[in-house]
């Protein structure tokens, strides 16, 4: 049975307050929703990025669970190493060697990685692909804020076309990023892993259910969560949940899951909104509303969103 | 019963790994160490070890997974060479800083470019400041013995540092020698059970490992780390003695070969020491007071012990199997000279860079080095402080 709102609200916080993430940052919201989804012991790994630098400034930590950070491009290899050691002890125990006394023999340990889109789509993609192919048991959550925020808003391959970042700036000649974002969720689904999903922090039930499903699987699972960044998106901090909902309603970020190869929409907007409703509140797209060139760009972006949405509907057997 | 068997260096390392039976190994193949990974994978497939073997997709992930697995709480080993070690470089520092006693066999090979699969020490010399203990073995037996000792040294309570056990690519890794293989039980007894410190799998006592550490604490943490290398040196000595008592082959920071009365000393590491021993024998027959200082521990660098050992030498040739580009000498020379100078010693010394990319070193060439030393001692200083041994043009 999935936890209801009351049960979720009574789950002890595993990422506590007092961290130094920005007001309105989507990352702690996503982390908490994911960690609320299980009562089992959880060990977490993060890669270098906003979450890591803001929650663990020595000598303080916001983590109430064992947590490790090694570097930027290896969250998957890191969580795989921890899982490998756990499995090694369990396998030895099955052959008669006593488990180390700090491991609870009756508990079912879970392993989760939280990584930014830079650490996932770009520099950490190899590590994620490798760990997934090897079949370790972990949930990998991509905190996808669509740029390298920790280092000051540089483009990643998750940055949408037209998006202004400091390395794909909107200029008088070039209106922001020139390429579409990589469809990483589909790339992960192509690994034939047992569970892949896309979600947002604005629909807690969607995300916690997906995390619950993922945690229940003894294998690699991946949830790509669009995670608004008020600073990088030039967005009012209170709009974080709402903007993520608009991403779903415009089909810029559809909510779906791929369970054992079965694609399924988990949310279908009653009425598919034009992308402008999602773009306009965000300063990173402001230049697209100034002139003809911007309008052309928006046109391209709308066409891409339509194309990807139709592709998804087809994969989900909805067409 | 202990047995004497013909074995290649790589097989000897794999055999030691089998006997150590670590909890986890995450490794990636690269010549000339591939055979260790393959042999160990076969041990796993045949149920001869309990190890969780993770066949990762790169050395970067190998060292990341090893570091994390050790942090989770258990004994972890890994194997690599050259470019593989270079790809681990970022993580090497982190393993040491997190004080995880991961044990890494490095079969030394020249770094690219150009690409070359044969022996030199550019790989491990490039990693010399990463915070790992580095032991260099001369032959197959030492590769085996060093690996077993590495486990005990690295895991000691007052050390808790990762250890590289280095052997020369092809020259040792692919050479058959007679190996004294100790009993599995005796090896297990010698290494003892793994004692974890702050394991991540301890759910009741959650810790945050690898935090952001800024100007207000980072420096103290680095100084604390610095202080582990004194105990590490002591551990190398004590574990080497204990190994000798148990198995009859004692080890220390260095081997002193005909050094007691030596005027002319060659200082070298790894397989070149074997060739140099031959040259020393030849020269001693001619009445030349030749000696060899074979350095076993490059990290921690045993300055004091080197100074004490060299104090009566008339001239010293320091042999580096690595170039330090842009520096005026090789790394072993630079560190030795710094040690001598700090101790106020003015022994005439010269530096030979040799054997890059697997270039053979002959006993005759080493005899030539001793002849140079006789001249240098007579003249009071070398006419050529740095020479490239056996290089053309
Ligand atoms: C090997 C390496 N390259 C670059 C960096 C610098 N760096 C640190 S965090 C970061 C970007 C993080 O972006 P992302 O993964 O999207 O996470 P976010 O901070 O946005 O949550 C970069 C480029 C690094 N730490 N390591």
């Amino acid at each position: 049975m999935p936890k209801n709102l009351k049960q979720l609200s009574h789950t002890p916080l595993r990422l506590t307050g007092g961290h130094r993430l920005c007001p309105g940052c989507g990352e702690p919201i996503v982390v908490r929703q994911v960690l609320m989804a299980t009562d089992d012991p959880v060990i977490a790994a993060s890669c270098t990025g906003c979450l890591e630098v803001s929650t663990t400034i020595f000598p303080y930590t916001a983590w109430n669970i064992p947590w490790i950070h090694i570097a930027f491009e290896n969250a998957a290899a890191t969580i795989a190493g921890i899982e490998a050691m756990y499995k090694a002890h369990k396998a030895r125990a099955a052959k008669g060697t006593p488990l180390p006394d700090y491991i609870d023999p009756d508990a079912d340990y879970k392993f989760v990685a939280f990584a930014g889109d830079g650490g996932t789509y770009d520099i950490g993609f190899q590590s994620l692909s490798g760990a997934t192919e090897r079949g370790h048991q972990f949930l990998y959550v991509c905190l996808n804020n669509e740029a390298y925020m920790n280092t000051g808003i540089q483009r990643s391959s998750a940055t949408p076309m037209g998006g202004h970042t400091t390395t794909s700036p909107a200029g008088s000649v070039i209106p922001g990023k020139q390429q579409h974002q990589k469809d990483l969720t589909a790339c992960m689904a192509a690994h034939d892993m047992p569970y892949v999903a896309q979600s947002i922090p604005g629909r807690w039930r969607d995300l916690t259910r997906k995390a619950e499903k993922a945690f229940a699987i003894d294998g690699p699972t991946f949830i790509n969560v669009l995670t608004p960044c008020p600073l990088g998106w030039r967005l009012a901090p209170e709009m974080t949940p709402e903007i993520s909902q608009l991403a779903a309603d415009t089909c810029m970020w559809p909510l779906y899951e791929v369970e054992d190869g079965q694609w399924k929409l988990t949310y279908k907007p009653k009425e598919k909104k034009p992308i402008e409703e999602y773009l306009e509140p965000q300063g990173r797209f402001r230049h697209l509303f100034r002139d003809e060139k911007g309008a052309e760009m928006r046109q391209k972006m709308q066409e891409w969103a339509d194309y990807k949405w139709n592709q998804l509907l087809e994969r989900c057997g909805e067409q | 019963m202990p047995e004497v068997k013909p074995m290649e260096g790589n097989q000897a390392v794999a055999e030691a790994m089998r006997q150590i039976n670590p909890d986890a190994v995450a490794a990636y193949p690269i010549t000339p160490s591939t055979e260790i990974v393959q042999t160990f994978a076969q041990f796993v497939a045949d149920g001869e070890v309990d190890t969780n073997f993770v066949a990762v997709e790169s050395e970067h992930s190998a060292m990341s997974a090893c570091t994390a697995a050790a942090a989770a709480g258990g004994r972890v080993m890994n194997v690599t060479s050259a470019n593989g070690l270079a790809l681990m470089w970022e993580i090497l520092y982190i393993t040491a800083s997190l004080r995880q006693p991961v044990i890494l066999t490095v079969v030394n090979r020249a770094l690219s470019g150009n690409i070359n699969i044969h022996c030199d020490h550019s790989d491990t010399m490039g990693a010399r400041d990463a915070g790992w203990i580095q032991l260099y073995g001369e032959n197959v037996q030492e590769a085996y013995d060093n690996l077993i000792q590495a486990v005990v040294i690295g895991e000691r309570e007052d050390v808790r540092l990762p250890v590289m056990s280095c052997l020369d690519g092809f020259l040792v890794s692919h050479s058959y020698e007679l190996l004294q293989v100790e009993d599995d039980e005796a090896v297990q007894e010698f290494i003892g059970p793994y004692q974890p410190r702050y394991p991540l799998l301890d759910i009741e006592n959650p810790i945050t490992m690898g935090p952001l550490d800024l100007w207000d604490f980072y420096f103290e943490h680095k100084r604390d780390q610095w202080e582990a290398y004194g105990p590490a040196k002591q551990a190398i000595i004590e574990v080497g003695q204990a190994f000798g008592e148990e198995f009859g082959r004692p080890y220390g920071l260095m081997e002193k070969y005909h050094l007691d009365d030596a005027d002319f000393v060659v200082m070298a590491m790894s397989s070149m020491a074997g060739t140099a021993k031959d040259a020393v024998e030849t020269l001693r027959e001619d009445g030349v007071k030749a000696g060899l200082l074979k350095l076993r521990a490059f990290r921690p660098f045993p300055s004091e012990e080197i100074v004490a050992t060299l104090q009566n030498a008339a001239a010293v040739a320091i042999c580096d199997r690595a170039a330090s580009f842009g520096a005026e000498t090789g790394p072993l020379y630079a560190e030795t000279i710094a040690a001598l100078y700090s101790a106020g010693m003015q022994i005439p010394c010269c530096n030979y860079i040799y054997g890059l990319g697997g270039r053979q070193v002959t006993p005759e060439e080493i005899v030539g080095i001793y002849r140079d030393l006789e001249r240098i001692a007579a003249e009071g200083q070398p006419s050529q402080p740095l020479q490239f041994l056996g290089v053309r043009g």
Side-chain angles (χ1 to χ4, degrees):
Chain A
M1 264 294 281
K3 286 192 194 178
N4 60 33
L5 190 56
K6 191 167 167 204
Q7 289 166 320
L8 287 171
S9 70
H10 284 100
T11 309
L13 278 186
R14 286 167 156 177
L15 174 69
T16 64
H19 59 70
R20 299 191 212 171
L21 286 156
C22 301
C25 174
E27 295 193 355
I29 305 175
V30 173
V31 170
R32 283 182 181 166
Q33 289 186 13
V34 167
L35 292 177
M36 276 175 185
T38 177
D39 293 324
D40 292 328
V42 181
I43 297 163
S46 296
C47 59
T48 314
C50 288
L51 182 71
E52 167 262 329
V53 302
S54 305
T55 58
T56 69
I57 307 177
F58 190 90
Y60 305 105
T61 180
W63 295 90
N64 268 335
I65 54 172
W67 177 95
I68 186 171
H69 156 251
I70 295 182
F72 183 24
E73 61 289 71
N74 61 2
T78 301
I79 203 69
I82 295 164
E83 182 258 10
M85 185 52 74
Y86 178 68
K87 293 270 161 93
H89 287 310
K90 291 290 255 191
R92 279 204 157 133
K95 285 195 197 162
T97 311
L99 267 184
D101 55 10
Y102 50 84
I103 298 180
D104 178 352
D106 304 318
D108 194 4
Y109 284 40
K110 306 295 185 208
F111 305 92
V112 61
F114 293 108
D117 48 289
T120 305
Y121 280 64
D122 291 349
I123 202 166
F125 184 47
Q126 170 184 319
S127 171
L128 173 59
S129 179
T132 301
E133 182 271 336
R134 292 192 301 273
H136 296 275
Q137 175 216 325
F138 61 76
L139 165 57
Y140 190 106
V141 179
C142 179
L143 304 168
N144 180 8
N145 53 28
E146 301 191 324
Y148 305 163
M149 298 309 183
N150 182 49
T151 39
I153 322 169
Q154 293 84 30
R155 94 191 270 287
S156 78
S157 59
T159 306
M161 175 180 264
H164 165 93
T165 72
T166 55
T167 52
S168 62
S172 52
V173 180
I174 305 171
K177 195 187 170 212
Q178 294 296 290
Q179 304 82 10
H180 294 296
Q181 68 209 82
K182 185 193 284 180
D183 187 351
L184 187 73
T185 314
C187 291
M188 295 318 295
H191 282 68
D192 293 325
M193 58 200 295
Y195 189 78
V196 174
Q198 273 195 183
S199 191
I200 49 169
R203 295 182 74 80
W204 59 268
R205 196 188 299 274
D206 185 87
L207 179 52
T208 54
R209 286 252 167 103
K210 285 172 179 170
E212 273 170 15
K213 279 191 181 183
F215 277 130
I217 292 167
D218 184 5
T221 56
F222 175 80
I223 307 180
N224 199 350
V225 188
L226 186 76
T227 305
C229 167
L231 194 75
W233 293 12
R234 304 282 187 260
L235 177 76
E238 66 277 13
M239 277 197 72
T240 291
E242 192 183 332
I243 201 79
S244 72
Q245 177 65 50
L246 280 167
D249 286 337
T250 53
C251 300
M252 288 282 283
W253 191 260
L255 309 186
Y256 65 95
E257 63 189 5
V258 188
E259 214 173 340
D260 294 324
Q262 294 301 310
W263 293 64
K264 189 173 150 234
L265 283 184
T266 55
Y267 172 72
K268 198 168 180 181
K270 281 193 197 72
E271 165 209 3
K272 183 166 166 281
K273 294 185 171 161
I275 60 166
E276 279 75 8
E277 291 197 27
Y278 171 67
L279 304 183
E280 247 185 317
Q282 303 183 51
R284 63 174 170 158
F285 298 118
R286 187 171 305 134
H287 57 283
L288 301 180
F289 293 88
R290 277 193 201 126
D291 53 20
E292 201 43 43
K293 213 186 256 172
E296 272 169 34
M297 196 68 153
R298 278 188 278 123
Q299 178 61 29
K300 269 202 238 173
M301 291 164 73
Q302 181 67 63
E303 282 164 15
W304 183 252
D306 294 345
Y307 161 71
K308 291 300 288 183
W309 174 244
N310 287 328
Q311 186 187 54
L312 180 64
L313 289 176
E314 203 169 306
R315 283 171 173 163
C316 295
E318 300 257 353
Q319 256 183 358
Chain B
M1 280 296 289
E3 266 186 281
V4 176
K5 290 188 202 167
M7 275 208 192
E8 280 179 311
N10 278 344
Q11 292 167 350
V13 169
E15 179 67 2
M17 287 174 70
R18 184 190 64 73
Q19 296 183 308
I20 292 163
N21 194 6
D23 296 304
V25 166
Y28 193 83
I30 179 169
T31 304
S33 55
T34 306
E35 190 186 358
I36 302 172
V37 184
Q38 290 172 341
T39 309
F40 193 77
Q42 193 66 49
F43 290 148
V44 174
D46 294 339
E48 292 191 44
V49 287
D50 305 317
T51 310
N52 190 345
F53 174 62
V54 186
V56 281
E57 84 297 334
S58 75
E59 288 88 352
H60 194 283
S61 285
M63 193 45 76
S64 300
C66 282
T67 304
R75 191 170 271 152
V76 178
M77 301 183 84
N78 191 352
V79 175
T80 196
S81 297
N83 298 43
L85 186 67
L87 193 56
M88 290 176 187
W89 196 81
E90 179 194 27
I91 309 302
L92 293 176
Y93 281 74
I94 301 169
T95 317
S97 299
L98 295 180
R99 305 294 290 272
Q100 298 302 333
V102 173
I103 306 301
L104 173 67
T105 292
V106 183
V107 179
N108 285 112
R109 154 180 162 178
L111 279 178
S112 303
N114 299 332
I115 193 164
N116 172 302
I117 56 171
H118 293 281
C119 178
D120 69 36
H121 298 162
S122 51
D123 50 4
T124 48
M125 281 296 141
R128 66 187 182 272
D129 292 338
W132 287 59
I133 293 169
Q134 291 190 338
L135 302 177
Y136 290 81
E138 176 190 325
N139 51 37
V140 174
Q141 187 72 54
E142 289 193 6
Y144 172 85
D145 293 350
N146 282 349
L147 194 58
I148 294 166
Q149 291 172 67
V151 174
V152 189
I153 295 165
E155 290 176 11
R156 232 168 78 152
E157 183 58 27
D158 56 348
V159 179
R160 301 305 286 192
L161 286 171
V163 188
M164 285 182 203
S165 176
C166 310
L167 58 147
D168 279 353
F170 291 106
L171 300 168
V172 178
S173 67
H174 288 64
S175 290
Y176 274 92
E177 290 174 16
L178 286 178
L179 177 75
Q180 164 101 15
V181 182
E182 303 300 342
D183 278 346
D184 290 2
E185 298 72 31
V187 172
Q188 275 298 322
E189 181 88 356
F190 188 77
I191 60 173
Y194 183 79
Q195 304 291 349
R197 296 275 280 140
Y198 308 110
L200 281 173
L201 290 173
D202 184 352
I203 289 291
E204 295 302 318
N205 299 292
I207 61 155
T208 288
M209 205 183 280
L212 180 66
D213 197 11
L214 298 173
W215 57 85
D216 45 355
F217 286 99
Y218 179 90
F219 201 178
E220 279 72 23
H221 292 152
K222 290 292 122 178
R223 200 261 324 272
D224 287 351
Q225 186 182 338
W226 184 276
E227 285 172 358
Y229 299 89
K233 194 165 84 171
Q234 203 51 39
I236 295 169
I237 297 168
E238 287 168 19
V239 173
Q241 268 166 5
F243 191 87
E245 281 156 26
E246 185 60 34
F247 301 114
R249 296 182 299 281
Y251 286 82
L253 298 164
M254 61 186 73
E255 183 186 341
K256 301 169 189 179
Y257 194 75
H258 287 289
L259 275 187
D260 283 346
D261 63 342
D263 291 329
F264 312 111
V265 178
V266 165
M267 190 169 164
M269 303 195 303
S270 302
S271 69
M272 163 150 179
T275 318
K277 284 174 184 173
D278 240 46
V280 169
E281 293 297 337
T282 311
L283 289 160
R284 285 269 165 181
E285 278 165 27
D286 294 348
V288 180
K289 287 191 171 172
L292 168 75
L293 193 167
K294 179 181 91 183
L295 194 63
R296 174 173 179 246
F298 183 79
R299 284 288 181 264
F301 193 75
S303 297
E304 245 175 82
E305 292 78 1
I306 289 171
V307 168
T309 306
L310 292 179
Q311 60 184 341
N312 296 321
V316 182
I318 299 160
C319 303
D320 272 292
R321 198 162 198 151
S324 180
F325 292 102
E328 296 194 352
T329 71
L332 182 58
Y333 180 86
E335 302 225 3
T336 305
I337 291 295
L340 293 173
Y341 185 86
S342 302
M345 283 171 58
Q346 291 282 347
I347 304 170
C349 292
C350 61
N351 189 197
Y352 289 87
I353 289 178
Y354 75 97
L356 300 192
R359 178 66 54 88
Q360 284 282 17
V361 186
T362 64
E364 295 70 36
E365 281 172 316
I366 299 176
V367 168
I369 293 177
Y370 282 103
R371 297 290 176 219
D372 286 352
L373 287 180
E374 290 177 296
R375 207 165 37 247
I376 291 167
E379 291 168 5
Q381 62 177 42
S383 55
Q384 264 183 294
L386 170 68
Q387 292 189 57
F388 292 88
L389 191 70
V391 86
R392 293 186 302 272

